């Protein structure tokens, strides 16, 4: 049910996001304790997303989403945060040069967890520079990936 629900919500979001130049990063429908949450993560490609923009999206879709979901739930619309997930191949293109953490579906060289600098993605292969070597990871082997935020000294 969750996948079909998320697909329906995404179809609802597209015409709302396009005119205000926002992009869907991720979405989840999860139970946390006794409560259900529909969490929608958005970003503005050329700048910072504002609280007003998140509220506008939430207000635009809340009535329709209420009709789709029988459970009592909370709708949360926000930015993905500093350690944003990398979901699509274009995310790996956009964030080349950043430090990322990757969790793989299967072990690669005795580990499923890798952290390093994202060099590039080429032909659906992600090149990750670790301290020891450059790994070539097939995109379809990535279970989860996100940016690793580091404070930088001035």
């Amino acid at each position: 049910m969750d996948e079909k629900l998320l697909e329906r919500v995404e179809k609802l979001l597209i015409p709302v996001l396009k005119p205000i130049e926002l992009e869907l990063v991720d979405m989840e429908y999860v139970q946390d304790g006794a409560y259900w949450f529909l969490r929608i993560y958005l970003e503005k490609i050329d700048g910072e997303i504002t609280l007003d923009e998140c509220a506008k999206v939430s207000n635009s879709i809340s009535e329709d989403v209420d009709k789709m979901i029988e459970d009592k739930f909370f709708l949360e619309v926000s930015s993905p945060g500093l350690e944003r997930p990398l979901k699509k191949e274009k995310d790996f293109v956009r964030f080349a040069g950043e430090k990322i953490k990757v969790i793989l579906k299967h072990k690669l060289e005795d580990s499923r967890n890798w952290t390093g600098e994202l060099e590039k993605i080429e032909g659906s292969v992600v090149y990750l520079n670790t301290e020891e070597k450059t790994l070539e990871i097939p995109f379809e082997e990535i279970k989860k990936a996100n940016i690793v935020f580091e404070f930088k000294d001035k």
Side-chain angles (χ1 to χ4, degrees), residues 52-89:
D52 286 343
E53 289 168 321
C54 290
K56 182 176 183 176
V57 171
S58 180
N59 291 335
S60 296
I61 66 167
S62 64
E63 197 173 304
D64 290 325
V65 172
D66 280 341
K67 294 174 187 172
M68 291 181 193
I69 301 175
E70 293 178 18
D71 304 311
K72 288 191 177 205
F73 72 98
F74 294 96
L75 174 62
E76 296 178 354
V77 178
S78 67
S79 78
L82 295 173
E83 295 197 337
R84 85 181 293 290
L86 305 176
K87 295 284 196 169
K88 303 168 189 151
E89 287 190 29

Side-chain angles (χ1 to χ4, degrees), residues 91-128:
D91 295 336
F92 288 83
V93 171
R94 180 174 169 210
F95 291 101
E98 296 286 338
K99 185 173 183 179
I100 67 168
K101 179 178 181 179
V102 178
I103 300 173
L104 304 176
K105 294 175 184 173
H106 303 96
K107 285 185 178 181
L108 176 65
E109 299 187 19
D110 294 327
S111 182
R112 290 179 56 229
N113 299 304
W114 293 95
T115 301
E117 181 183 321
L118 172 59
E119 182 182 317
K120 63 182 175 179
I121 184 169
E122 188 173 276
S124 293
V125 175
V126 174
Y127 292 81
L128 184 68

